[in-house]
Amino acid sequence: MALAKEMMGCSLIERSSFVSSPRVFLNCSGNVTCFRQRQNRFLLAKPVPSMHLRKVFKAPVVVAAISEDLIKALPNQKEKAAELKVRASVTIRNKNKEDFKETLVKHFDAFTDMFGRNVGLELISNEQDPKTNDPKKSSAAVLKDWSKKASVKAERVYYTAEFTVESDFGIPGAITVTNKHQQEFFLESITLEGFACGPVHFPCNSWVQSCKNHSGKRIFFSNQPYLPNETPRGLRALRENELRELRGNDRGVRKLSDRVYDFDVYNDLGKPDVSIDLARPTLGGDKIPYPRRCRTGRLPSETDMQAESRIEKPVQMYVPRDEQFEESKRNTFSAGRFRAVLHNLLPQLKASISANNRDIKSFDDIDDLYKEGLLLKLGLQQETVEKLPKMVTKLQESSGILKYETPKVVSKDKFAWLRDDEFGRQALAGVNPVNIKRLTSFPPVSKLDPEIYGSQESALKEEHIVGQLNGMTVQQALDENKLFIVDFHDIYLPFLDRINSLDGRKSYATRTIFFLTPTGTLKPVAIELSLPHNTPQSRAKRVVTPPVDATTNWIWQLAKAHVCSNDAGVHQLVNHWLCTHACMEPFILAAHRQMSAMHPIFKLLDPHMRYTLEINALARQNLINADGVIEDCFTPGRYCMEISAAAYRNIWRFDQQNLPADLIRRGIAVPDPTQPHGLKLLIEDYPYAADGLLIWNTLENWVRTYVNHYYPDSSLICGDRELQNWYHESVYVGHADLSNESWWPSLKTPEDLIFILSTLIWLASAQHAALNFGQYPYGGYVPNRPTLMRRLVPDDNDPEYVNFLADPQKYFLLALPSLLQATKIMAVVDNLSTHSPDEEYLGERQHPSIWSGDAEMIEAFYGFSAEIRQIEKEIERRNADPSLKNRCGAGVLPYELLAPSSGPGVTCRGVPNSVSI
């Protein structure tokens, strides 16, 4: 605690070069304290106990240092207070790379800074002037030596400014910054020295725009947290004004330099001005419910007034300026995107030479993508290679940028993906371990309307699986919790007619039954493949069981590939995009609109909102849009986002998004107060759930400590207007289409708030990490996880059956994505699985010692960080335990997707604080 207070500057006396000796300080109780110089030492006042720190900071105190002689000279004259000087240390972050225009403007700003076109600052006190009822203000100050330091190449440049304040100024609670330069700059932090309460910190982390683009002053508040009703009088109006500015007026086209947060529907995914085939329905509203996204204000398209006009890369889509990627993140993402462009260019060249070359002809074709590189793999003639841009061929020769790294799933065992035990293991420890459910009755039954989609009955019968249950009857297996299911039937069936009418797309609605073996692994025992009920009865519902000969082995492999394709679609469109990206965005928008930066809950959520708006905007521009990567490379094609919207309407519930509620909903766990986390897992070796519960428990305890510190009783929750406005707007505006559902949690008690915040932080951190950073390690090898299938499973009556029997491997490869589709999805998931160098992981945050002015919460956060490090050690121990066969064994990948830390790159581990990729 002492260390935290020292780092925060909570000692009562801070020496200052601007104050002469002997000194008199007006201390935090408003009493005069004298310090006499004695042998170059000071007799210090008694420090304030840590339990009173919060009260000290909240009191309307007088803290400026003044001379003892001045006190004696003016004992009764309060109308003319003494003037003192205090100093600010200002940290500004430089760009690593500047284009010519930026460099030119930078030097121009350095020149004009000497003539008054500078950066101005002004301190604002927590206290009001009793005469005017306005906040007390310092004299205006400017950053010193800007022109001298303009050529400094360091990442951070440190400046100073000197303020004059009156002796009764009080504690500074805000700083205004005015940028009279031509160019924006990134203000990282400001620290004030010279006040009796010690250094006062302002963690800013924001772009300050030029006055020519945004007139007015930027306001930054100190790190001291205040609930709305505790806001010092001098800051109340500023707090309200800042929120009004962030909310905007819901009018006009947003500029990239704006800081306005607002809501809109997803009406910008289609391209109706390009082609009617590229028009897409609006997501959001009564017709197709969906969460809201950040409003850009762009004009309607020319051919559809309800659709927003699009902008395409490299033009940047609007998100508030401080939500945009910082430089290192942008460079990492752009490098990946550039690599994806190169990967896509060459297959298209190959396809233009010969249509037959678009198909994967052998498994060697796939292996060569990792061994030889893409140019050699494509077999382009030398004269064709010579016609390629010199930059591309040079990169191929020098750095191998056109080669793919070998995905981890085949790095230890090239044929692991073919095995049934690996197929089952990935349902528990792969990139999508959240769809497995306990089977409570057999056979499974559909919930779809039988009048529209046909019989609800499954084609699965006891005779299909009873021989695979280690001597158990089906009922015994159900009673002993041994049967599990991955069921995509109701998600896909309503769309199959439309999907299968698309060129080169073939899909089933699948169900897979698993048996939990005595060793704790899952064994697939049957796969049901369903087509629309208007299909001939012989093919509408088909059950495939484990193979008994060569022919049934290939049928089984094709059936598993269709299951993986279903799984890849639901993973990307529902579990990943919808639940962790799209559904988080309304809470983030509302937080910025309704909660001040000085609100303690905003400070808690801040690191968990980083970059999410930007990555979601990039997804709308490049991934989930009409003719984007997702439509091009996933089986549902143009219906991808409609499947996502259907899941939002029919499946998504906020109250079931946290890990314990989700495990109970899926029947994977049951409440058990004797267990460490209050739950008993029915599959003990379930790596995602077991590691996830460690993180969930630690995270929830941290949130509970934080919430109870600021809200010791329910009246404070109900009386916090900013908090209530945030939650109300998140639900009734951001999730307006589902706002009347009864399952939304109320927000009346501290426990309600703990539940809501823990769920949001879980989704932004651990849940997203578990679903995202294994995409290339598992999906980079296309046969293991095909995102698209182009052939159905043949049967005796199929004309293709003869070809299948003649060359089953060729038929299997033709059913997979084409070479163009495969390389495109490999490039994209490689990019999405990459950690940037500036990633912040769970247990970390910017300015760890000063993100809050509350010493007790700083100390609690350090405790939370230490517990996260212990979790990492426990995960390492589990991955070395040979009894846990779903994470340890010959060729088995350890489960590290919930290991908190990671280096940059594709690592298949690491839990960032936020949905940042």
Side-chain angles (χ1 to χ4, degrees):
M1 178 68 77
L3 176 62
K5 288 189 290 185
E6 181 179 349
M7 297 175 77
M8 287 170 39
C10 291
S11 61
L12 284 180
I13 301 302
E14 179 70 16
R15 296 188 182 186
S16 172
S17 60
F18 299 105
V19 183
S20 60
S21 302
R23 305 180 187 176
V24 172
F25 285 85
L26 293 184
N27 64 26
C28 293
S29 300
N31 301 317
V32 175
T33 304
C34 180
F35 300 88
R36 291 179 290 109
Q37 191 171 6
R38 183 180 296 174
Q39 298 178 351
N40 295 323
R41 296 184 181 183
F42 289 94
L43 300 177
L44 302 183
K46 182 179 179 180
V48 176
S50 61
M51 64 182 290
H52 299 306
L53 280 173
R54 197 158 160 256
K55 295 181 181 178
V56 166
F57 278 109
K58 290 180 180 179
V61 295
V62 182
V63 294
I66 63 174
S67 158
E68 182 181 18
D69 294 334
L70 185 59
I71 290 287
K72 292 178 180 179
L74 301 171
N76 299 312
Q77 300 182 31
K78 297 182 180 179
E79 66 277 2
K80 184 64 176 178
E83 291 186 344
L84 315 190
K85 289 183 178 180
V86 294
R87 184 179 64 182
S89 298
V90 180
T91 304
I92 290 178
R93 191 186 306 166
N94 269 341
K95 291 184 177 180
N96 293 324
K97 295 181 180 179
E98 296 175 336
D99 59 30
F100 176 75
K101 180 181 178 182
E102 289 174 328
T103 302
L104 188 65
V105 174
K106 182 177 181 180
H107 287 292
F108 180 76
D109 284 340
F111 176 74
T112 59
D113 188 85
M114 296 184 292
F115 301 98
R117 303 293 299 175
N118 46 32
V119 177
L121 301 94
E122 187 177 46
L123 302 185
I124 299 177
S125 172
N126 284 350
E127 298 182 13
Q128 286 180 322
D129 187 322
K131 295 180 180 179
T132 65
N133 290 329
D134 291 330
K136 296 178 181 179
K137 297 181 181 180
S138 72
S139 63
V142 298
L143 289 190
K144 294 182 176 181
D145 300 328
W146 186 285
S147 58
K148 294 180 180 179
K149 297 181 178 181
S151 299
V152 173
K153 301 298 183 183
E155 181 181 4
R156 290 173 175 81
V157 183
Y158 303 96
Y159 299 89
T160 61
E162 293 183 9
F163 300 91
T164 299
V165 299
E166 294 183 346
S167 58
D168 61 352
F169 182 78
I171 293 178
I175 293 181
T176 64
V177 181
T178 305
N179 178 12
K180 298 178 184 177
H181 292 164
Q182 297 293 305
Q183 192 162 265
E184 66 178 7
F185 61 84
F186 189 83
L187 179 58
E188 188 170 272
S189 65
I190 301 174
T191 299
L192 298 177
E193 297 177 346
F195 289 91
C197 66
V200 182
H201 299 287
F202 295 77
C204 304
N205 296 310
S206 181
W207 290 95
V208 180
Q209 299 301 319
S210 168
C211 287
K212 70 182 180 68
N213 294 324
H214 290 269
S215 60
K217 301 176 180 180
R218 279 295 308 278
I219 301 170
F220 295 97
F221 297 106
S222 77
N223 63 350
Q224 185 59 31
Y226 295 105
L227 295 176
N229 64 342
E230 298 172 340
T231 309
R233 290 182 179 275
L235 304 181
R236 290 178 184 176
L238 292 176
R239 183 171 186 151
E240 293 296 330
N241 291 341
E242 176 73 354
L243 286 174
R244 276 196 294 271
E245 185 170 322
L246 292 171
R247 287 194 286 266
N249 58 14
D250 194 29
R251 294 196 298 269
V253 179
R254 299 266 65 90
K255 299 181 295 184
L256 291 177
S257 58
D258 286 348
R259 297 171 58 238
V260 175
Y261 297 78
D262 205 355
F263 298 92
D264 207 344
V265 294
Y266 282 74
N267 61 348
D268 63 340
L269 302 181
K271 302 177 183 179
D273 293 345
V274 176
S275 168
I276 189 63
D277 290 335
L278 295 179
R280 296 292 181 268
T282 295
L283 305 184
D286 294 338
K287 191 173 182 180
I288 305 180
Y290 213 64
R292 300 302 188 260
R293 47 92 172 178
C294 183
R295 178 184 178 274
T296 67
R298 294 195 306 272
L299 297 175
S301 65
E302 295 180 1
T303 57
D304 184 353
M305 292 299 293
Q306 301 304 313
E308 188 172 89
S309 58
R310 284 188 57 82
I311 55 174
E312 305 296 345
K313 58 184 182 183
V315 180
Q316 192 170 350
M317 190 176 288
Y318 171 78
V319 294
R321 182 63 180 99
D322 290 340
E323 305 302 321
Q324 297 169 24
F325 288 166
E326 294 179 17
E327 191 172 10
S328 61
K329 176 74 170 182
R330 185 172 65 251
N331 291 340
T332 300
F333 192 82
S334 297
R337 183 166 60 185
F338 175 62
R339 183 174 180 179
V341 168
L342 294 182
H343 282 188
N344 295 336
L345 167 68
L346 298 176
Q348 292 180 57
L349 289 174
K350 180 70 174 179
S352 68
I353 297 171
S354 170
N356 293 331
N357 288 327
R358 294 187 62 196
D359 294 325
I360 299 173
K361 294 183 177 180
S362 70
F363 286 104
D364 288 340
D365 284 353
I366 301 171
D367 295 340
D368 288 347
L369 292 172
Y370 319 114
K371 293 179 182 178
E372 301 176 5
L374 206 51
L375 283 175
L376 295 177
K377 160 68 202 75
L378 290 168
L380 298 181
Q381 298 299 316
Q382 183 61 35
E383 58 269 23
T384 304
V385 174
E386 291 174 355
K387 294 178 183 178
L388 293 175
K390 290 183 179 180
M391 177 181 63
V392 176
T393 55
K394 184 177 180 180
L395 287 170
Q396 168 74 11
E397 295 167 1
S398 61
S399 64
I401 196 170
L402 297 182
K403 288 185 180 180
Y404 290 95
E405 296 295 327
T406 301
K408 285 194 173 185
V409 72
V410 290
S411 63
K412 293 183 176 182
D413 184 347
K414 183 177 178 180
F415 302 106
W417 65 277
L418 286 166
R419 298 198 314 266
D420 285 356
D421 65 296
E422 177 65 15
F423 180 71
R425 190 192 73 83
Q426 289 186 31
L428 300 173
V431 71
N432 187 40
V434 298
N435 280 108
I436 187 78
K437 297 179 182 179
R438 179 166 57 93
L439 196 60
T440 56
S441 62
F442 187 89
V445 177
S446 171
K447 296 180 181 178
L448 296 175
D449 186 343
E451 293 186 4
I452 300 175
Y453 301 108
S455 173
Q456 295 177 322
E457 294 181 5
S458 168
L460 287 161
K461 306 296 181 185
E462 289 198 13
E463 55 264 30
H464 289 131
I465 66 172
V466 69
Q468 303 285 335
L469 305 183
N470 288 8
M472 289 185 177
T473 65
V474 171
Q475 191 57 49
Q476 284 176 321
L478 289 171
D479 293 341
E480 296 185 24
N481 301 320
K482 299 295 185 182
L483 288 180
F484 295 84
I485 186 171
V486 173
D487 189 350
F488 300 123
H489 180 276
D490 289 3
I491 296 177
Y492 273 89
L493 192 66
F495 295 90
L496 282 186
D497 273 332
R498 286 173 283 173
I499 292 172
N500 289 337
S501 66
L502 297 173
D503 184 37
R505 311 291 172 112
K506 290 293 180 277
S507 181
Y508 295 98
T510 66
R511 291 187 178 108
T512 307
I513 307 297
F514 293 92
F515 176 71
L516 181 63
T517 69
T519 60
T521 61
L522 289 180
K523 178 175 69 172
V525 296
I527 296 172
E528 182 181 27
L529 306 172
S530 296
L531 292 170
H533 71 285
N534 53 9
T535 305
Q537 189 61 34
S538 61
R539 300 192 62 180
K541 293 182 180 180
R542 177 180 180 184
V543 176
V544 181
T545 54
V548 294
D549 55 32
T551 300
T552 54
N553 176 68
W554 281 105
I555 294 292
W556 180 245
Q557 296 299 337
L558 281 165
K560 288 197 298 181
H562 274 282
V563 172
C564 290
S565 178
N566 271 192
D567 189 77
V570 171
H571 161 257
Q572 198 69 268
L573 302 172
V574 180
N575 301 331
H576 180 206
W577 164 257
L578 173 66
C579 295
T580 67
H581 283 258
C583 288
M584 278 293 296
E585 186 158 348
F587 291 95
I588 294 171
L589 291 169
H592 285 280
R593 289 166 53 84
Q594 301 297 341
M595 283 196 292
S596 167
M598 66 176 80
H599 197 293
I601 300 305
F602 186 92
K603 291 180 180 293
L604 175 69
L605 288 176
D606 189 35
H608 305 291
M609 302 187 291
R610 186 180 187 221
Y611 291 154
T612 303
L613 298 186
E614 171 81 340
I615 196 63
N616 286 3
L618 288 167
R620 300 201 317 271
Q621 189 174 39
N622 303 319
L623 295 180
I624 63 173
N625 57 298
D627 205 29
V629 172
I630 299 300
E631 286 195 3
D632 193 34
C633 298
F634 284 75
T635 301
R638 63 178 296 159
Y639 305 108
C640 280
M641 291 306 292
E642 291 185 56
I643 288 179
S644 181
Y648 178 67
R649 180 180 63 244
N650 300 323
I651 299 173
W652 186 84
R653 289 178 50 159
F654 180 79
D655 64 325
Q656 294 180 346
Q657 294 301 299
N658 67 72
L659 181 60
D662 178 57
L663 294 174
I664 291 171
R665 175 186 66 84
R666 292 189 281 123
I668 300 294
V670 293
D672 186 344
T674 67
Q675 296 296 313
H677 310 296
L679 291 178
K680 178 183 179 181
L681 290 175
L682 300 183
I683 303 177
E684 293 183 10
D685 185 11
Y686 185 0
Y688 159 78
D691 294 357
L693 284 172
L694 292 176
I695 292 178
W696 168 263
N697 189 59
T698 300
L699 189 157
E700 187 185 36
N701 286 340
W702 155 237
V703 173
R704 175 170 282 106
T705 298
Y706 193 90
V707 168
N708 287 338
H709 179 68
Y710 292 102
Y711 300 98
D713 61 67
S714 297
S715 64
L716 292 171
I717 296 282
C718 296
D720 187 335
R721 65 181 186 279
E722 286 186 6
L723 182 71
Q724 293 294 334
N725 288 345
W726 163 68
Y727 188 57
H728 184 274
E729 188 171 72
S730 297
V731 175
Y732 286 92
V733 180
H735 288 278
D737 306 328
L738 299 182
S739 60
N740 293 323
E741 297 293 339
S742 61
W743 41 255
W744 282 104
S746 61
L747 181 52
K748 297 178 180 178
T749 68
E751 280 302 314
D752 294 339
L753 182 57
I754 291 165
F755 179 88
I756 293 166
L757 294 175
S758 299
T759 298
L760 291 173
I761 297 173
W762 163 260
L763 289 171
S765 57
Q767 181 77 339
H768 178 260
L771 296 169
N772 184 74
F773 293 103
Q775 289 191 80
Y776 185 79
Y778 282 99
Y781 188 73
V782 174
N784 177 64
R785 193 170 176 78
T787 59
L788 181 150
M789 294 295 287
R790 298 187 293 159
R791 299 283 190 280
L792 295 174
V793 179
D795 61 20
D796 296 350
N797 300 318
D798 196 318
E800 290 282 335
Y801 193 70
V802 174
N803 295 331
F804 164 73
L805 290 177
D807 195 339
Q809 177 176 294
K810 179 180 179 180
Y811 189 96
F812 180 86
L813 293 172
L814 287 174
L816 298 181
S818 67
L819 183 61
L820 170 59
Q821 292 162 332
T823 53
K824 182 180 290 188
I825 197 63
M826 288 165 69
V828 170
V829 297
D830 175 68
N831 201 9
L832 297 180
S833 301
T834 299
H835 290 292
S836 63
D838 71 337
E839 200 85 85
E840 294 174 10
Y841 297 95
L842 200 61
E844 302 174 350
R845 62 181 299 160
Q846 294 180 9
H847 312 296
S849 64
I850 62 168
W851 62 269
S852 173
D854 191 324
E856 190 173 338
M857 289 301 95
I858 293 289
E859 199 77 10
F861 180 75
Y862 283 136
F864 168 66
S865 300
E867 290 186 43
I868 292 294
R869 291 192 293 272
Q870 290 301 314
I871 288 174
E872 186 149 346
K873 293 180 180 179
E874 173 60 18
I875 290 174
E876 291 175 0
R877 185 198 67 77
R878 291 175 176 181
N879 285 332
D881 185 346
S883 69
L884 302 176
K885 300 188 182 301
N886 290 316
R887 61 196 309 160
C888 181
V892 174
L893 290 185
Y895 188 73
E896 297 180 309
L897 286 170
L898 288 176
S901 70
S902 174
V906 179
T907 63
C908 201
R909 62 176 292 143
V911 181
N913 278 323
S914 62
V915 179
S916 59
I917 189 66

